[in-house]
């Protein structure tokens, strides 16, 4: 019996434990013994015949992952079974299939058997009529039946190679033959032109907002932009302060909490309102270079309006003068009573009648976090902790409600 058939026989019977390696050979119980490096009749898809050592190690370790199997094979210096051969080889060895195209049984030449057969055997010459005439017809028929026909060796590898279609390697793929990327170039160029047009539009909007701010400065109103004072005319000029519900003359003010417990602070309000992206305060503090700004100017950049209103954002109520409070139009609330300690209003009802309030929270926060805020006349805006693409919708909601509130106060 050949090594592959013996291994299949022991595998199907569940007697792999009886296959023991002794020195340089495998002993199949007391039945067979083969050299470890003996080639079997199973040919891999790479063209080589698997050795008995390779097949024995694989069939005993087929249950582990292929990567771990390869690593263990390298460690023990045993040639491994390739990944494409694993399944068909295992099905054959376990008896699930009776044959396989990769199996090529050959006639093993054993010198000892050949020598034994050559003893006392006369040379057979078919042309010798004496020998043919002496054989009985029954003997010739029996000899014909017992004759073993060895099929011609078929070169399966050449047959497979003739049917294969050559695949491209990495370098040939990069050449991109018969490919036209002109449409990709046009799309990218169009996108770049659109980006430049948007930047140009934003610069125009900035100039309009700046002219409005400079107009306010010429009337004697000092204001801040990104922590830098743009100018203040100390010459006393007549100012108009509307004590009713109208907005005071100058740049509108948005108040934010100075505490880090809230989502929107003076550190990240610009990115949220202008770019529609929420960045945690602690991240912005690490990115910031220089001291904390006293005032930040924000504009509604993602708007189709030709004229964009600028807003000042502050977080220190104690620094506001009496006339500055007429310009406060909005506040991001923390949900704590002490936030309104230095505010010149008697209660929350008066505050949120003259100022629109916003409370920012994560959508999966507990209801208790907004328990106090629900008693106030403020708008609760929810954002996701991880889905940053949803921040733009939240920022637009803030802008829409703020602009509607400002219009209503302006017409009062």
């Amino acid at each position: 019996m050949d090594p592959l058939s013996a291994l299949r026989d022991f595998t199907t019977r569940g007697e792999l434990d009886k296959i023991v390696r002794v020195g340089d050979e495998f002993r199949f119980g007391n039945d067979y013994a083969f050299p470890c490096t003996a080639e079997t009749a199973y040919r891999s898809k790479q063209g080589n015949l698997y050795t008995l050592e390779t097949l024995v190690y694989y069939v005993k370790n087929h249950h582990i992952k292929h990567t771990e199997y390869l690593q263990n094979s390298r460690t023990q210096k045993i040639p491994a079974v390739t990944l494409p051969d694993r399944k068909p080889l295992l099905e054959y060895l376990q008896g699930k299939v009776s044959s396989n195209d990769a199996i090529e049984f050959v006639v093993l030449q054993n010198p000892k058997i050949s020598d034994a057969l050559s003893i006392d055997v006369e040379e057979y010459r078919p042309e010798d009529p004496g020998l043919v005439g002496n054989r009985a017809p029954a003997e010739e028929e029996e000899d014909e039946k017992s004759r073993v026909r060895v099929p011609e060796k078929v070169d399966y590898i050449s047959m497979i190679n003739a049917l294969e279609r050559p695949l491209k390697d990495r370098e040939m793929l990069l050449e991109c033959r018969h490919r036209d990327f002109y449409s990709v170039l046009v799309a990218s160029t169009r996108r770049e032109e659109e980006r430049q047009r948007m930047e140009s539009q934003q610069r125009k909007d900035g100039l309009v907002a700046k002219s409005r701010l400079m107009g306010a400065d010429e009337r004697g109103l000092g204001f801040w932009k990104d922590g830098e004072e743009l100018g203040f005319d100390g010459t006393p000029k007549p100012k108009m302060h509307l004590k009713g519900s109208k907005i005071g003359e100058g740049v509108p003010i948005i108040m934010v909490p100075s505490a880090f417990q809230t989502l929107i602070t003076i550190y990240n309000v610009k990115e949220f309102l202008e770019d529609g992206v929420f960045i945690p305060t602690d991240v912005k503090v690490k990115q910031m270079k220089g001291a904390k700004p006293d005032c930040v100017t924000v504009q509604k950049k993602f708007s189709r309006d030709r004229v964009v209103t600028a807003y000042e954002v502050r977080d220190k109520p104690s620094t506001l003068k009496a006339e500055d409070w007429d310009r406060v139009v909005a506040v991001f609330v923390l949900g704590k009573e002490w936030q309104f300690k230095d505010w010149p209003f008697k209660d929350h009802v008066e505050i949120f009648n003259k100022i629109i309030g916003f409370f920012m929270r994560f959508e999966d926060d507990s209801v208790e976090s907004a328990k106090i805020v629900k008693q106030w006349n403020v708008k609760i805006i929810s954002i996701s902790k991880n889905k940053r693409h949803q921040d733009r919708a939240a920022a637009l909601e803030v802008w829409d409600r703020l602009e509607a509130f400002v219009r209503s106060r302006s017409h009062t």
Side-chain angles (χ1 to χ4, degrees):
M1 182 175 288
D2 64 284
L4 181 62
S5 301
L7 179 60
R8 183 173 187 266
D9 184 34
F10 273 68
T11 304
T12 54
R13 290 187 298 176
E15 298 180 353
L16 287 175
D17 55 329
K18 293 184 178 181
I19 303 177
V20 181
R21 179 168 182 166
V22 179
D24 294 334
E25 64 179 12
F26 281 107
R27 295 182 179 177
F28 291 70
N30 297 324
D31 301 334
Y32 314 103
F34 302 99
C36 297
T37 57
E39 292 185 342
T40 64
Y42 201 97
R43 186 177 296 277
S44 72
K45 288 183 170 56
Q46 295 181 348
N48 60 295
L49 293 173
Y50 285 122
T51 62
L52 180 61
E53 181 182 35
T54 298
L55 298 187
V56 171
Y57 184 77
Y58 166 67
V59 76
K60 289 186 176 182
N61 297 274
H62 70 275
H63 56 279
I64 64 177
K65 294 182 178 180
H66 189 64
T67 53
E68 184 180 353
Y69 163 73
L70 292 177
Q71 185 177 1
N72 295 341
S73 298
R74 294 192 191 100
T75 303
Q76 301 188 22
K77 298 180 179 180
I78 298 176
V81 174
T82 61
L83 183 60
D85 290 330
R86 283 179 62 104
K87 184 177 179 180
L89 173 60
L90 184 62
E91 290 179 348
Y92 175 75
L93 292 179
Q94 292 180 344
K96 295 180 180 180
V97 294
S98 59
S99 183
N100 192 307
D101 293 339
I103 300 173
E104 301 177 7
F105 286 109
V106 296
V107 179
L108 299 178
Q109 297 295 334
N110 191 321
K112 296 181 179 180
I113 297 177
S114 300
D115 294 342
L117 292 176
S118 61
I119 299 175
D120 297 332
V121 177
E122 295 182 357
E123 182 181 0
Y124 170 66
R125 296 186 299 274
E127 66 277 5
D128 190 348
L131 293 176
V132 176
N134 294 332
R135 295 173 59 88
E139 293 179 359
E140 292 181 0
E141 184 178 354
E142 184 68 24
D143 182 63
E144 181 68 23
K145 292 181 180 181
S146 62
R147 184 177 301 169
V148 178
R149 294 183 179 180
V150 180
E152 296 182 1
K153 185 176 181 180
V154 180
D155 191 355
Y156 292 101
I157 301 301
S158 299
M159 295 173 60
I160 294 174
N161 291 336
L163 298 175
E164 283 183 347
R165 181 173 59 88
L167 299 178
K168 296 180 179 180
D169 58 12
R170 180 173 58 183
E171 295 181 357
M172 293 181 65
L173 286 174
L174 292 176
E175 293 178 1
C176 299
R177 296 178 179 177
H178 309 296
R179 296 286 180 132
D180 184 10
F181 289 94
Y182 179 72
S183 60
V184 178
L185 176 61
V186 172
S188 60
T189 304
R190 191 174 301 166
R191 181 175 297 180
E192 179 65 19
E193 292 175 353
E194 181 68 16
R195 185 185 64 82
Q196 293 179 0
R197 188 187 67 79
M198 292 295 294
E199 291 180 354
S200 177
Q201 183 65 37
Q202 289 179 1
R203 285 195 294 269
K204 291 179 181 179
D205 294 342
L207 291 176
V208 173
K210 185 175 181 181
S211 64
R212 292 171 62 97
L213 297 177
M214 294 303 294
D217 184 44
E218 291 174 357
R219 293 192 296 271
L221 298 176
F223 58 92
W224 297 74
K225 183 177 181 181
D226 294 337
E228 179 181 358
E229 189 175 7
L230 297 179
F232 181 81
D233 187 359
T235 305
K237 295 182 181 180
K239 300 180 182 179
M240 181 174 62
H241 303 291
L242 304 178
K243 296 300 182 182
S245 59
K246 285 191 176 182
I247 302 174
E249 190 170 336
V251 182
I253 297 176
I254 300 174
M255 300 297 297
V256 295
S258 59
F260 276 31
Q261 294 91 332
T262 184
L263 296 184
I264 300 299
T265 63
I266 201 167
Y267 294 99
N268 62 359
V269 65
K270 191 175 184 69
E271 285 75 14
F272 179 71
L273 292 181
E274 289 191 351
D275 303 328
V277 178
F278 170 75
I279 302 176
T281 299
D282 54 347
V283 176
K284 287 297 298 180
V285 171
K286 294 179 181 179
Q287 296 176 353
M288 179 172 292
K289 297 180 181 179
K292 171 188 174 184
D294 296 328
C295 177
V296 174
T297 302
V298 297
Q299 302 173 9
K300 185 181 178 182
K301 288 187 176 181
F302 44 89
S303 173
R304 296 181 179 179
D305 299 335
R306 300 292 297 177
V307 179
V308 181
T309 305
Y311 293 82
E312 292 181 9
V313 181
R314 299 175 179 267
D315 66 345
K316 294 181 180 178
S318 59
T319 61
L320 296 181
K321 299 179 182 179
E323 58 269 21
D324 294 335
W325 283 101
D326 292 333
R327 296 190 287 127
V328 178
V329 295
V331 58
F332 284 88
V333 301
L334 176 62
K336 305 293 183 181
E337 297 285 350
W338 54 262
Q339 180 182 358
F340 307 102
K341 178 181 178 182
D342 297 325
W343 289 48
F345 304 99
K346 62 180 181 180
D347 55 20
H348 300 105
V349 177
E350 183 181 2
I351 292 175
F352 298 119
N353 280 339
K354 296 183 177 181
I355 301 170
I356 184 171
F358 298 100
F359 178 69
M360 300 295 299
R361 65 186 290 272
F362 288 125
E363 57 188 8
D364 55 352
D365 284 349
S366 63
V367 181
E368 294 295 327
S369 62
K371 185 177 181 180
I372 299 178
V373 177
K374 287 185 176 181
Q375 303 174 8
W376 301 344
N377 184 23
V378 300
K379 175 60 182 176
I380 299 177
I381 307 293
S382 299
I383 61 175
S384 173
K385 285 186 178 181
N386 303 311
K387 302 174 182 178
R388 296 279 66 84
H389 63 279
Q390 298 180 0
D391 297 340
R392 183 183 179 90
L396 280 174
E397 184 178 2
V398 172
W399 279 116
D400 292 342
R401 292 183 177 273
L402 174 59
E403 290 173 343
F405 177 78
V406 172
R407 285 195 298 269
S408 65
R409 281 193 55 178
S410 300
H411 291 86
T412 304

